[in-house]
Structure formats: structure tokens, C-alpha cells
Amino acid sequence: MTSYRLHYAPDNASLAVRLALEEMGLPHDTVLVDRRARAQRSAAYLAINPAGRIPALEGPDGAMFETAAILLWLADRHGALAPAPDAPGRAAFLSHLFFVSNTLHAEMRMMFYPGQYVDGDTARRALREGLPASLTRHLAMLDRAASAGTAGFAPDRPSVLGLYLACCLRWCALYPAGGTGWFRLSDTPALSRLAAGIEAREGALRAAAAEGLGPTPFTAPILPDPPEGSAT
């Protein structure tokens, strides 16, 4: 079976890929990208991921980057964690997967790193303070989809969509420090059930242990204490 190499940092977007690799039982090793040393901007890492972001995944087709692309490629290549290309639920699954990637996660990045998007303290503060209302609407939409039984949201049948979304829920609860008062997992009960279902799985427990995420990484998250090296 193909072995993969995941370039990761604790509690970064690479967590979603690690969860997928663990859930599928795919052999892999990991390489820490030390964010403290800005290793994601090093020449060696840029040769693997020219975007200079985390994660990157090396496999039989070479190196891949972009979280959603990696997740979908793994799911299709291994026939797991996603509806088949000809399945009735595939279209809705893809719509929600890329909504999580291109809209929810993208806006979360703006809140986490406003200085990468606007200049000046006032503009950064306005951006950060304006995003919670938008993120709340996005989560409510996803909660309705999960409540309706849309493909990919079942808590007892993980998908790459669910794994990615569980990570986003975790990050909403933790980051940025002092700016998470807008978020309560209980406001989205279907997503809460999804997070609890994923958190109880053996693969998720292994991923949480590897990155020091504690026993309840998605329903009651704590800041990471990674045994494999700090990325902060």
C-alpha cells in the first residue's frame, strides 16, 4: 500500500489531512513544518508547496497542496470518506466541501490573520470584528444541511467533509485568543453531533494524541501541547 508523507504543524489545516489518513488506515509519516522558524517559507518547503502554506502531502503522484484538494484526492483514490463520483449525493457533498474550504475556512483565516488582508490597526480590528456575524451564518447553513441528512455530515459515517468541518469548529472555539466569544458549538446541534461522533473514533484519537489536542479535541477543545514539536 502506498505510503504518504504529511508536512504538518500542530493544529493547522494539516490536521484535517491527518484525520483522513488515520481514518482510512493509510501508512504515512509526518514532517514538522516549524512555523516558529517560518519553515513554511524556506526554499526546501516551497519546492514542495509553492504557496508556502500548510499542509503538503507527498504521495505517488508527487506533492500536493491545498487542504480540500488533498482530502478529495485521497477520498477518490482510496474509495473512502466521500460519495462515489456517480453517487446521488455527490453534488451536494462537493458543494459543501468547497464551501467549507473556500468560504468558511477562508473567512476564518481573515479573522486569524487580518494583517495579511488589510493594512492598519483600525482596518484589521474592523475586519476581525465584522467576521463573526458572517461565520455564524455559514455555520447555521451547514447545520441545516447536516440536520437534513445531506451526504457527508453523518456523525457515524465520517467523510472528508465532516473531518474538515470538525477542525473548523475546533478553531472557532480556540482562535484568535480573546476573540472567540461569538462561538458556541451548542448553537449548531447537528454540527455538535458531528463533532462528537468524529472525536470518538480511533483515528481521531490517534491524531489528537499525536498533536497534543486533549481527549475532547472537537467538542471541548484545549490549546495543543504537541509532543512532536511546537509550531508556535
Side-chain angles (χ1 to χ4, degrees), residues 40-187:
Q40 71 271 31
R41 294 295 180 183
S42 68
Y45 187 73
L46 289 172
I48 298 168
N49 182 350
R53 291 184 177 179
I54 302 166
L57 183 72
E58 294 184 88
D61 290 350
M64 293 188 68
F65 56 97
E66 289 297 315
T67 304
I70 295 170
L71 291 172
L72 185 57
W73 185 89
L74 285 171
D76 285 351
R77 183 175 184 90
H78 295 283
L81 303 187
D86 58 350
R90 176 75 169 196
F93 166 82
L94 290 177
S95 293
H96 289 98
L97 175 64
F98 284 93
F99 180 82
V100 169
S101 174
N102 297 351
T103 303
L104 177 67
H105 193 187
E107 290 188 15
M108 290 169 62
R109 279 188 53 83
M110 292 179 191
M111 189 161 66
F112 299 160
Y113 312 112
Q116 295 184 10
Y117 298 91
V118 295
D119 294 324
D121 291 342
T122 300
R124 288 193 291 269
R125 185 168 55 253
L127 178 61
R128 178 168 278 175
E129 291 176 354
L131 282 167
S134 179
L135 292 170
T136 298
R137 289 192 297 271
H138 299 335
L139 292 175
M141 188 200 85
L142 292 164
D143 192 64
R144 290 192 295 271
S147 297
T150 305
F153 289 97
D156 59 338
R157 296 192 302 279
S159 72
V160 291
L161 165 60
L163 299 176
Y164 194 175
L165 183 50
C167 294
C168 289
L169 295 170
R170 170 184 170 80
W171 300 326
C172 285
L174 290 175
Y175 309 110
T180 62
W182 65 275
F183 176 76
R184 291 183 304 178
L185 183 58
S186 59
D187 289 341

